[in-house]
């Protein structure tokens, strides 16, 4: 056999017995059908291709999209698209391959999710899944899944309910209720505004009344007599011809030019 042929065969054998485990991956070695319990971390790994297989699993965050019906407390069915964000803990990879295989999403994650959704969503009314209660439902589903998946080597990062589709009749009822609440708030605003205007008028009237009371209390008989004397004094110095009739209390002036 020529040297070139030997070198080529050696290169092929070397390349076929080496694999690269990249970032976000973990390797599991299976030799003679047995799983090695030590996971293979990032880097180049050599192995005997005739007796050994390197199985690679992702350890980065995975997004599993599911569309399924959610049962509600009142017995209705709410359709929803759900995202399950999870990741595999690398040190559990050999156990996962040994006990679940590479199709672990369908074997364990999806069934656990369906069970958790049925348990949690049935505790809430359908309208709650379309309001601020959604985040509470998502968090509860995640926590219930974690109780069953953490010991298997999976970390559930988030459960996100998307595209909530309520039954048609319930959607109309919620819209009518929201519209009625808006009308009620609008009417309450008008009533509050009218009450404030009425209160303003009362305060204004009380101010006028108090001012008149102060003026009336200040008009004493002595002050009125003093003002009368002042008026007589001004009339007496006026150059105009006039006739003054008085009782001594108040002057009555008659224009002398009237014929």
């Amino acid at each position: 056999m020529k040297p070139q042929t030997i070198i080529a065969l050696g290169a092929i054998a070397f390349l076929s017995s080496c694999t690269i485990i990249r970032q976000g991956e973990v390797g599991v070695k299976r030799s003679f059908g047995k799983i090695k319990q030590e996971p293979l971390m990032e880097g180049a790994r050599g192995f005997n291709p005739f007796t050994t297989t390197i199985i690679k699993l992702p350890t980065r965050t995975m997004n599993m999209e599911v569309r399924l019906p959610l049962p509600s407390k009142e017995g209705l069915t709410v359709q929803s698209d759900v995202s399950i964000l999870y990741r595999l803990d690398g040190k559990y990879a050999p156990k996962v391959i040994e006990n679940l295989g590479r199709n672990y999403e369908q074997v364990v994650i999806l069934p656990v999710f369906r069970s958790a959704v049925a348990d949690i969503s049935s505790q809430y009314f359908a309208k709650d899944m379309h309001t601020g209660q959604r985040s509470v439902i998502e968090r509860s589903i995640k926590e219930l899944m974690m109780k069953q998946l953490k010991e298997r080597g999976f970390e559930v990062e988030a459960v996100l309910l998307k595209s909530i589709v309520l039954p048609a009749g319930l959607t109309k009822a919620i819209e009518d209720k929201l519209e009625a609440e808006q009308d009620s708030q609008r009417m309450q605003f008008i009533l509050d505004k009218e009450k404030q205007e009425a209160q303003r008028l009362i305060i204004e009237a009380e101010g006028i009344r108090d001012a008149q009371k102060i003026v009336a209390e200040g008009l004493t008989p002595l002050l009125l007599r003093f003002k009368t004397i002042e008026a007589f004094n001004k009339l007496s110095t006026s150059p105009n011809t006039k006739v003054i009739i008085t009782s001594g209390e108040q002057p009555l002036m008659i224009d002398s030019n009237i014929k």
Side-chain angles (χ1 to χ4, degrees), residues 114-173:
R114 290 184 182 276
S115 175
V117 163
D119 288 344
I120 300 301
S121 65
S122 61
Q123 301 175 22
Y124 293 86
F125 293 104
K127 63 182 180 62
D128 296 333
M129 304 178 195
H130 207 268
T131 61
Q133 289 292 326
R134 180 190 298 191
S135 60
V136 178
I137 297 172
E138 292 172 340
R139 187 165 55 251
S140 299
I141 294 173
K142 171 192 169 184
E143 292 172 354
L144 187 56
M145 290 182 68
M146 280 297 300
K147 290 180 181 179
Q148 303 181 52
L149 293 177
K150 189 172 183 61
E151 293 183 356
R152 293 179 177 269
F154 297 99
E155 178 76 22
V156 180
E157 297 180 354
V159 174
L160 306 175
L161 302 180
K162 306 183 299 180
S163 303
I164 299 294
V165 180
L166 299 176
L170 181 60
T171 301
K172 183 64 168 58

Side-chain angles (χ1 to χ4, degrees), residues 224-225 227-229 231-232 235 244-253:
L224 292 174
R225 181 174 293 276
K227 291 295 183 180
T228 300
I229 294 172
F232 282 147
L235 289 172
I244 300 174
I245 302 173
T246 179
S247 63
E249 298 292 336
Q250 295 180 343
L252 175 62
M253 183 176 67

Side-chain angles (χ1 to χ4, degrees), residues 27-54:
V28 178
K29 181 182 287 187
R30 177 187 286 150
S31 297
F32 297 102
K34 293 185 178 180
I35 299 295
K36 301 298 183 181
Q37 295 304 314
E38 288 296 325
L40 303 177
M41 298 301 155
E42 303 164 1
R45 303 293 175 178
F47 65 98
N48 185 344
F50 299 103
T51 61
T52 304
T53 302
I54 302 296

